[in-house]
Every structure is written in structure tokens, then in C-alpha cells.
Amino acid sequence: MSRTLRLLITGGGTGGHTYPALTTLSALQRRRVPHDVLWVGTASGLEARITAEHGIPFKAITTGKLRRRPDLRELGTNIADVFRIPVGVLQAIGHAARYLPDVVLSTGGYVAVPIGVAAKLIRRPLVMHEQTTVVGLANRILSRLATRIALSHESSLEHLPASARAKAVVTGNPVRPELLSGNRAAAYDMFGLTFEVPLIYVTGGAQGSKQINTLIAEILPRLLPHAQVVHQCGPSWIEQMRAVPVPPELAERYHPVPYVGAELADLFAAADVVIARSGAGTVSELTAIGKPAVLIPLIPTGGDEQRKNAGYLASAGAARALLEPGPTAEQLLAELMPLLADPALRASMGQAAAGLGRVDAADALCDLLLEVAHTGGAATGQGPAGGGPAGGGPAGEAQAGGGQGPSGESSGVPGTSFGGAPGPR
């Protein structure tokens, strides 16, 4: 019998937690699986804006941040968060019990913990996805409650509690599929680039990075004889970066921009080297497209995850990385110059990066969700393994309607199928 899949998504706060869920939902929609979706997050998180833009039903809950090392300077906030967490759990139980999902997808962030607890209490299967090479605190908690655990990297397995490892499968981290099909020529036309020297794309995230911007400003006069640079510096930095003194005859090789939007795929296709942070989303994108990079991790981050991500790529020959706090302009230039001078070195690093990437991650995670919904959480071939085929697409509006199992009874039982086209093989 074919019927509507009821999917509850939780996760957000940042793009690293929000976009993997959105991309996985897109993969489900492309398969034309009849489905109904509800996203539960925080009103202040990125997920609230993204769901509104894509017409995805959304419910907000209260939640507090879990801190490994509470900061006494934020004592009031810490105490308030202690009380917010149980409030969020009660709200999550209410939303989950009313919605009665066939399966819950959690992509991390502190908002995911209340929904994970709620899924356990109402006996609905939970698929937890971890984006980083390490496992964050929220996901270490959820790993004990999860039905299945989807990892982005096989090396993450050792960071899970021993009792949770048998539930894990390596799917990769879903990457927006449009990033895989950029047009190199379009980027060259947009920015008026030259074929005389390699192109470096610099990004510090949507708001820019003071550290990266300062380093770039310092090395530009020495860098531009050897490269051209498109620099996404952030809206608050654009005037300052435009004023950086460079040799007049090389000024046309430097292109600071406040923000990069739809043209990102074209820039990725055109770039010979990328300078960036090493958050989970960035690492997944660089490996999916097979792009050599110099990584400057944000230090510190929770669990030191950015430095560990950068070290993971560097140890595989997929990137160079400045792993110590306070890197200097001289250190950045020392990492860049060999890459700019040696196309073969860039090619081998790109191949190593591609060897770590998973362009099929969204479909692999989609396969896992459908399997868990179909079996009601029964194990079927658990253990670290590969995922499904490639694909993706911009998320559209969630399909409405659909049946629902009897209250208190798992509607994703063996024998129930969810119609629609399978993922591409």
C-alpha cells in the first residue's frame, strides 16, 4: 500500500545545520514521494527564515544552549538556559505527538535535542545526521536515542559512544546540487578575469572574517603579481577592502565583493585555489567539487571542530591548513605560493579532495530516511557503509496532506510503502 510519508525535521541555528536538511528534503521531493513535512526549530534561527522562503510548515520551540565549559561571565544566560531546556522538551513533545511522524530527521544544533527526546518518548524513529568530523555535544546526546546515525565522515565513528556505533552509516554531508554544475566562463565574464594567472576565491562566510580579511589585505601587494583574487569579504568590510593599496597596474586583479549568492557555483568552477574557513558545510562543498584549498579554521569552536576538519583534509593531501591560532600573513603566503606555481600540485590536491567528497549524500540520506520509515526503525544492514546516488535541487514547497497512522501506533511499519520514483542510480 502506498501512502503519504510524514517527515518531521529538526535542526538549525546556522547554515551548517539547516542546509543539509533542506537539501535532503529536495532529494525527497525530486523522487515525487507523497509526503507531508513539519520543521521544528527556533524562531531566531536561520531555519525560521529558510522554511518561510520555501513554504515549509514550521513550528518554533524554546531551547537553551548546552555548554561543555560554562562561562561564569554569562552566569545569568547559563541559568536561564537550564530552565529553557525542559520547556523546549515539553513543547517538542506536544508538536511531535500531534504530528505523529513516520520518521524524524535531526541535523543538529541545540534545538534538535528536545525533538530527539520527544521522538524517543512517543516511540517514533529518529535519524540523526552529523556534519562534522567530530561529533558535537548535542549529537552525542542524541546518538543514544537515535534509531540510525548518518555520518558525513567515516572518521567520525570513533567519536560516537561505543553503544551507538552499530547504528551508524556513512552517507556524507548533503551539498546543494547547483554547486556541482558551475560555469567557469560565466565567472570569468562576470568579474572580468584574465587567463594569465590563477584565480583565488577567498571567503570568510556570509558576514566575512576579520582575520581572513586582514591577512588578505597584508599579502595582496605580493600576491597579485602571481594571482587574481575574488574576495567575498562581507558587507561591513567592503569599503575597507576596496581601499586596500595595491600596485595600480595590478588593481584589476583584485575583486572584493560584499556577498556571493547564485554565482557561487560559477566561482567554484573557475577558482584554482580557495581560501576559506573549515566549517562542515565548506569542507563538504570543497570535497564534493574537488577543489584545492588553504583552510584557516576558526579557533576556538565547539569541540575545536574547524581545526579538526582542516587537519582531516590536510592529512589526506586534500588541502593545506593553518592550524595554529593567530596565523601570520607570511604563513598564508608560504602555503599559497607553491599551489599558484604548480598546476600539477593543484590537480593532485583537487583529486585528493574529490576522493573525500560525496556528491550523492542527499540521496543516501533520503534512502536511509525511507528505509527507517518503512521498517519502523528495525535494523537492516547497519554499520558504516556508503550512501545512494547523486542528485539534488533547490527545495520547493512541501507537498501537503496525506494519511496518518492511528494514534500511538507506528505508521512506518513493514509492508507500508511510500510511493514515488526511486533516486537516480
Side-chain angles (χ1 to χ4, degrees), residues 16 122 127 181 210 220 250 262 276 285 288 296 301 309 328 341 366 369 406:
I122 69 169
V127 174
S181 55
K210 178 181 179 181
L220 267 180
L250 299 176
E285 290 168 358
I296 306 174
T301 52
N309 289 344
T328 66
C366 185
L369 286 170

Side-chain angles (χ1 to χ4, degrees), residues 41-395:
T42 61
S44 60
L46 176 65
E47 65 272 22
R49 177 170 65 83
I50 293 298
T51 52
E53 289 175 357
H54 292 278
I56 300 169
F58 178 80
K59 295 289 186 182
I61 64 171
T62 299
T63 190
K65 187 174 183 180
L66 302 168
R67 294 174 173 83
R68 294 175 180 83
R69 300 176 182 86
D71 188 342
L72 292 178
R73 291 172 297 181
E74 299 177 343
L75 183 60
T77 301
N78 294 338
I79 293 173
D81 282 350
V82 169
F83 290 97
R84 290 190 185 104
I85 291 171
V87 171
V89 170
L90 291 174
Q91 292 171 333
I93 293 170
H95 290 311
R98 283 189 293 271
Y99 186 69
L100 286 178
D102 295 305
V103 63
V104 177
L105 170 62
S106 164
T107 55
Y110 298 107
V111 70
V113 174
I115 284 292
V117 172
K120 185 70 172 179
L121 291 175
I122 69 169
R123 303 176 66 182
R124 296 288 149 153
L126 170 67
V127 174
M128 182 201 95
H129 182 262
E130 174 59 63
Q131 295 88 43
T132 66
T133 52
V134 296
V135 178
L137 178 58
N139 272 353
R140 285 209 303 276
I141 295 170
L142 288 181
S143 67
R144 301 178 187 276
L145 308 178
T147 308
R148 299 296 300 274
I149 299 168
L151 302 176
S152 297
H153 309 278
E154 193 161 351
S155 61
S156 302
L157 193 65
E158 64 189 67
H159 298 285
L160 289 172
S163 60
R165 293 173 187 173
K167 300 184 289 186
V169 58
V170 180
T171 61
N173 190 18
V175 173
R176 291 170 286 170
E178 58 268 24
L179 296 182
L180 307 176
S181 55
N183 185 324
R184 183 171 185 257
Y188 269 71
D189 289 343
M190 173 178 286
F191 294 99
L193 302 174
T194 174
F195 290 96
E196 296 175 358
V197 289
L199 171 63
I200 301 172
Y201 171 50
V202 182
T203 177
Q207 300 305 315
S209 159
K210 178 181 179 181
Q211 181 185 50
I212 292 177
N213 292 348
T214 302
L215 290 171
I216 293 299
E218 189 170 341
I219 68 172
L220 267 180
R222 289 174 287 173
L223 183 62
L224 291 180
H226 309 282
Q228 57 196 325
V229 179
V230 174
H231 181 186
Q232 190 248 304
C233 59
S236 63
W237 279 84
I238 185 62
E239 296 304 325
Q240 186 172 338
M241 297 311 298
R242 284 172 176 162
V244 172
V246 297
E249 68 276 11
L250 299 176
E252 291 185 353
R253 291 187 177 180
Y254 180 55
H255 307 271
V257 294
Y259 181 74
V260 171
E263 67 273 24
L264 177 59
D266 297 337
L267 270 174
F268 270 154
D272 296 287
V273 179
V274 175
I275 298 174
R277 293 297 197 193
S278 50
T282 299
V283 166
S284 297
E285 290 168 358
L286 292 172
T287 56
I289 63 176
K291 193 63 60 174
V294 177
L295 300 175
I296 306 174
L298 179 63
I299 303 172
T301 52
D304 206 15
E305 65 181 39
Q306 286 213 13
R307 183 153 49 173
K308 291 174 181 176
N309 289 344
Y312 171 69
L313 263 63
S315 66
R320 296 194 169 203
L322 301 176
L323 297 177
E324 296 306 315
T328 66
E330 294 296 335
Q331 289 172 324
L332 176 57
L333 204 59
E335 297 294 348
L336 273 174
M337 293 308 290
L339 288 170
L340 297 176
D342 190 347
L345 178 59
R346 296 198 299 269
S348 65
M349 185 175 288
Q351 290 171 357
L356 300 176
R358 291 292 299 269
V359 297
D360 62 344
D363 276 300
L365 187 51
C366 185
D367 287 340
L368 183 61
L369 286 170
L370 292 173
E371 173 195 319
V372 171
H374 178 72
T375 62
T380 56
Q382 293 181 358

